[in-house]
Amino acid sequence: MPPTPRRSTILEVARLAGASKTSVSRYFGEERDRLSPSLQARIAHAAGTLGYQPNQMARGLKGGRSKLLGMLVADIRNPFSVAITHGVEQACRQYGYSLVVCNTDNDPEQERQHLDLLGAYQVEGLVVNASGSPERQLHTFISQGTPIVLLDREVDHVEAEVVGLDNHLAIDMALEHLVDQGYQAVLYVSEAPQQSSTRQKRLARFNHTTEQLGLIHSSSLLANSDGTATLQALSDFLATHQQHACAVLCGNGNATLTVTRLFQQLDLSLGKIGLMGIDELEWCALISPGITTLAQPTDAMGKTAVQCLMHRIAPHASSMPAALSFSPTLIERGSTQR
Amino acid sequence: MPPTPRRSTILEVARLAGASKTSVSRYFGEERDRLSPSLQARIAHAAGTLGYQPNQMARGLKGGRSKLLGMLVADIRNPFSVAITHGVEQACRQYGYSLVVCNTDNDPEQERQHLDLLGAYQVEGLVVNASGSPERQLHTFISQGTPIVLLDREVDHVEAEVVGLDNHLAIDMALEHLVDQGYQAVLYVSEAPQQSSTRQKRLARFNHTTEQLGLIHSSSLLANSDGTATLQALSDFLATHQQHACAVLCGNGNATLTVTRLFQQLDLSLGKIGLMGIDELEWCALISPGITTLAQPTDAMGKTAVQCLMHRIAPHASSMPAALSFSPTLIERGSTQR
DNA sequence: CTGAAAGCGCTTACAG
DNA sequence: CTGAAAGCGCTTACAG
């Protein structure tokens, strides 16, 4: 094999520019101004000729700044996660950081491994959308002074900022809308709440507010995405309360997807039986007459998470965000029109 | 501020274990077997006590192996890209690599910057789903011996393996299906093909095969996602050929989304006017009577891309994949049932 | 089987 | 304004 041409190093640039490594380093660091114009020009030229780019590994090693942020995502194929990730990535770039995204596919073991790995790459901060409760790993980061922000889900015994939807508000807005539209009985469909503080909160709030409003209510948990248990629950609910105007409220995008399928299986007409979901999905407008949703401001949430981190990494670069809890936006469509 | 507790280093572990740095390094590298059981035990214990984890930055610097792969994605919010990214990430993990994902939002400038950055982090290989033609940057990688694999789209003047769908086959399968179902006139809707070899190939093949089969055909390019031009094209097409059985073939998921909206605007009944799309999306089954699609084997494609890279990085770890071009799967639904 | 030492490509006091 | 030198945390010949 022919010897592979290597990336050029700071030493080569220095030599070609007739300067010291120190100066070249300064040129590519924050101290370019300290260099005389002529030195700057020589270095610029030499670097250009050699196609030089500082090695971030070396930089990180010596300076202690990897310029890397890590993000742990529970399920990268979930549209909500995709949207958030997009926001986080944008924000990172804005602060001059790169992002290492790790998907755990909701597997606690993968989650732990990824977290260790992120540590090994010396990420300077971490956005965590947890699937399990990787307490030990997170505490390791915290005790080393690496800031962490939790996204959407809290983690037991881990104290960190939590960026997410105002779940109480979301449920209340949904129920208020359903009541306004004249529905009298509401079935709440959610994925299994264990492991997700968000799901727990939404479910609890559903029970709370629904009691308070005097609404007929019930709930069903999705078992393993097949939805057969919920099919049963749904038809029972409708049968029991057929003298009332019934609606289904879905706790997140996945629930909306499953329930929409069930509506089709049962040949229910959207609107006559109300349907509403938390999370806006691209197809919600397409299922005629449209599915009413509560959209989350995902870009803002992603940006806020990064801002939290940056505030702790480099307090001068970013102020603490004003709020970590976000309001949803009601997108009204035919599915809640009786 | 209190001094932040740092990560422990190899030296600390060595001291605590009463061993040399060399041995600790061996323990965490590929040479653990060379150590006596008792030494291994001491090191394991010391490392456990200190919560030691090798610093990947330092490892990469000295050993030249960052254990990092880079991936450039043109549009991370596109479901096809998400699916591919998922496959790539899974495969990375399998080979013990981590993945840095960079999204360019279809912006050539961001693309160039990200590529430079990926270089700075010494990625050992690169999966590129290009949005522009970052020839210079890619050549830099190539000339340094960093393997590259192109995903879905070719890049002018860059010689590298291309992993993607067999576009000719896909178009032919689609047209064959439409003919079988009795459609006689087909309108092809695609996003603007410049910058995407895939779009070009599909469009060209559409014209070719359609001629050959003697089908009435036309095509329309989506302008800026609003679809108004295509709305016009569609109604014209239908008006002109109303004595024939008409169908629309969508070049990718975005086209399918837009055209589905147009069908609703024009109040066309699916099936009577045929509709079919390349790319399977989660909602295609939900728009009754279901939209017929050609699904891409995204996980396999992602894995294959990584396998290509690994074969070049560590020939012993992976053989060259047998094929880089994949066949789609026809998912037949009501939208192509007259 | 084990270790001392050199060096990967940078940054950062320190000195002038 | 500029540079020589030490050192970040590792790996890898080299030696025994």
Side-chain angles (χ1 to χ4, degrees):
Chain A
M1 265 198 275
T4 330
R6 304 161 8 278
R7 312 190 139 253
S8 53
T9 69
I10 202 172
L11 184 61
E12 297 170 293
V13 177
R15 277 211 258 266
L16 184 58
S20 68
K21 290 194 306 172
T22 308
S23 295
V24 178
S25 173
R26 290 205 173 106
Y27 181 84
F28 285 96
E30 322 270 65
E31 315 184 76
R32 188 174 297 190
D33 319 327
R34 288 176 48 179
L35 273 31
S36 68
S38 91
L39 222 203
Q40 287 191 35
R42 270 148 53 213
I43 293 176
H45 181 254
T49 306
L50 297 173
Y52 172 73
Q53 262 200 211
N55 179 329
Q56 284 291 350
M57 294 273 161
R59 267 183 144 164
L61 185 57
K62 179 59 190 165
R65 327 272 344 255
S66 64
K67 285 283 182 179
L68 235 35
L69 253 38
M71 177 167 183
L72 202 69
V73 184
D75 176 8
I76 210 199
R77 288 184 288 194
N78 177 302
F80 169 71
S81 300
V82 170
I84 290 273
T85 305
H86 182 258
V88 168
E89 215 237 5
Q90 297 267 90
C92 278
R93 260 177 41 83
Q94 208 168 299
Y95 287 103
Y97 275 67
S98 297
L99 185 69
V100 184
V101 181
C102 293
N103 170 46
T104 67
D105 272 342
N106 276 312
D107 173 1
E109 180 51 30
Q110 269 197 60
E111 180 162 86
R112 281 186 289 269
Q113 288 180 226
H114 273 142
L115 243 17
D116 285 340
L117 218 57
L118 253 10
Y121 283 106
Q122 314 282 111
V123 296
E124 294 181 45
L126 207 50
V127 179
V128 177
N129 172 228
S131 52
S133 293
E135 301 180 23
R136 230 213 46 235
Q137 278 74 9
L138 293 182
H139 280 137
T140 302
F141 282 98
I142 292 172
S143 72
Q144 283 162 172
T146 305
I148 290 185
V149 52
L150 266 18
L151 204 58
D152 185 64
R153 300 179 186 180
E154 299 172 11
V155 174
D156 291 343
H157 313 117
V158 172
E159 290 211 26
E161 262 88 44
V162 181
V163 173
L165 193 67
D166 182 334
N167 291 304
H168 284 191
L169 176 60
I171 293 294
D172 289 357
M173 282 174 65
L175 290 174
E176 186 185 347
H177 174 69
L178 290 174
V179 168
D180 283 353
Q181 300 298 103
Y183 294 99
Q184 302 158 309
V186 185
L187 176 68
Y188 184 71
V189 177
S190 166
E191 295 192 279
Q194 60 270 25
Q195 306 293 18
S196 165
S197 61
T198 287
R199 292 179 195 163
Q200 285 163 20
K201 283 188 185 170
R202 291 180 189 170
L203 178 54
R205 185 65 176 189
F206 172 81
N207 288 322
H208 165 93
T209 302
T210 219
E211 294 282 357
Q212 195 172 288
L213 296 176
L215 279 170
I216 297 169
H217 66 279
S218 178
S219 61
S220 170
L221 300 184
L222 255 21
N224 292 328
S225 88
D226 68 337
T228 45
T230 298
L231 178 63
Q232 194 55 52
L234 176 55
S235 39
D236 287 356
F237 187 81
L238 297 178
T240 309
H241 305 293
Q242 53 187 320
Q243 70 281 35
H244 294 286
C246 292
V248 179
L249 175 58
C250 301
N252 69 9
N254 271 338
T256 306
L257 181 61
T258 302
V259 171
T260 302
R261 287 194 187 120
L262 298 183
F263 265 58
Q264 299 197 345
Q265 280 177 47
L266 295 175
D267 203 25
L268 302 176
S269 129
L270 282 173
K272 184 162 170 340
I273 307 297
L275 176 60
M276 174 161 188
I278 294 180
D279 283 344
E280 164 72 359
L281 304 161
E282 64 177 356
W283 50 267
C284 284
L286 291 180
I287 309 290
S288 80
I291 297 173
T292 297
T293 62
L294 247 25
Q296 301 197 46
T298 50
D299 267 337
M301 287 160 79
K303 269 177 196 147
T304 297
V306 174
Q307 204 183 335
C308 272
L309 254 25
M310 292 312 304
H311 174 67
R312 311 252 233 95
I313 295 172
H316 56 93
S318 174
S319 55
M320 193 59 187
L324 305 178
S325 188
F326 289 81
S327 305
T329 305
L330 174 65
I331 303 182
E332 222 177 310
R333 300 200 177 97
S335 72
T336 50
Q337 204 102 43
R338 291 176 61 217
Chain B
M1 265 198 275
T4 330
R6 307 160 9 275
R7 311 191 139 252
S8 53
T9 71
I10 200 170
L11 184 60
E12 297 169 292
V13 177
R15 277 210 259 265
L16 184 58
S20 67
K21 289 195 307 175
T22 308
S23 295
V24 179
S25 174
R26 289 204 174 107
Y27 182 84
F28 284 97
E30 321 269 66
E31 315 182 77
R32 185 174 298 189
D33 319 326
R34 287 175 50 178
L35 272 32
S36 67
S38 91
L39 222 203
Q40 287 191 34
R42 270 147 55 213
I43 293 175
H45 181 254
T49 307
L50 297 173
Y52 172 72
Q53 262 200 215
N55 179 328
Q56 284 291 349
M57 294 273 162
R59 267 184 144 163
L61 185 57
K62 178 58 190 166
R65 327 272 343 256
S66 65
K67 285 283 182 178
L68 235 34
L69 253 35
M71 178 167 181
L72 202 71
V73 184
D75 175 9
I76 210 199
R77 287 184 290 194
N78 177 302
F80 169 72
S81 300
V82 171
I84 290 274
T85 304
H86 181 258
V88 169
E89 215 236 4
Q90 297 266 88
C92 277
R93 260 177 40 84
Q94 207 168 300
Y95 288 103
Y97 276 66
S98 297
L99 185 68
V100 184
V101 181
C102 294
N103 171 46
T104 67
D105 272 343
N106 277 312
D107 173 1
E109 180 52 29
Q110 270 199 56
E111 180 162 84
R112 281 186 290 269
Q113 287 179 216
H114 273 142
L115 245 15
D116 285 341
L117 218 57
L118 254 8
Y121 282 105
Q122 314 284 110
V123 296
E124 295 182 42
L126 207 50
V127 178
V128 177
N129 173 229
S131 52
S133 292
E135 301 180 24
R136 230 211 49 235
Q137 278 75 8
L138 293 182
H139 280 136
T140 302
F141 282 98
I142 292 173
S143 72
Q144 283 162 172
T146 305
I148 289 184
V149 51
L150 266 19
L151 205 58
D152 185 64
R153 300 180 185 179
E154 299 172 11
V155 174
D156 291 343
H157 312 118
V158 172
E159 290 212 26
E161 261 88 45
V162 182
V163 172
L165 194 67
D166 182 334
N167 291 304
H168 283 190
L169 177 61
I171 292 294
D172 289 358
M173 281 173 66
L175 290 174
E176 187 185 347
H177 174 68
L178 290 174
V179 168
D180 283 353
Q181 299 298 102
Y183 295 100
Q184 302 158 311
V186 185
L187 176 68
Y188 185 72
V189 176
S190 167
E191 295 192 279
Q194 60 270 23
Q195 304 295 20
S196 165
S197 61
T198 287
R199 293 179 193 163
Q200 285 163 22
K201 283 187 184 171
R202 291 180 188 170
L203 178 54
R205 185 66 175 188
F206 173 81
N207 287 324
H208 164 93
T209 301
T210 219
E211 293 282 357
Q212 195 172 288
L213 295 175
L215 281 169
I216 297 168
H217 66 280
S218 178
S219 61
S220 170
L221 301 184
L222 255 23
N224 293 330
S225 88
D226 68 335
T228 46
T230 297
L231 178 63
Q232 194 57 52
L234 176 55
S235 41
D236 288 356
F237 186 81
L238 297 178
T240 310
H241 305 294
Q242 52 186 321
Q243 70 281 32
H244 294 284
C246 292
V248 178
L249 176 57
C250 300
N252 68 8
N254 271 339
T256 305
L257 180 60
T258 304
V259 170
T260 301
R261 287 193 186 119
L262 298 183
F263 266 57
Q264 299 196 344
Q265 281 178 46
L266 296 174
D267 203 24
L268 302 176
S269 128
L270 281 173
K272 183 162 173 339
I273 305 298
L275 176 60
M276 174 161 188
I278 294 180
D279 284 343
E280 164 72 0
L281 305 161
E282 63 177 358
W283 49 268
C284 285
L286 291 180
I287 308 290
S288 81
I291 297 174
T292 297
T293 62
L294 247 23
Q296 300 197 46
T298 49
D299 267 337
M301 288 160 78
K303 269 176 196 152
T304 297
V306 174
Q307 204 184 334
C308 272
L309 255 25
M310 292 313 305
H311 175 67
R312 314 254 232 90
I313 294 172
H316 57 92
S318 174
S319 56
M320 192 60 186
L324 305 178
S325 187
F326 289 80
S327 306
T329 304
L330 174 66
I331 302 182
E332 222 176 311
R333 299 199 178 97
S335 72
T336 51
Q337 204 102 44
R338 292 176 61 215

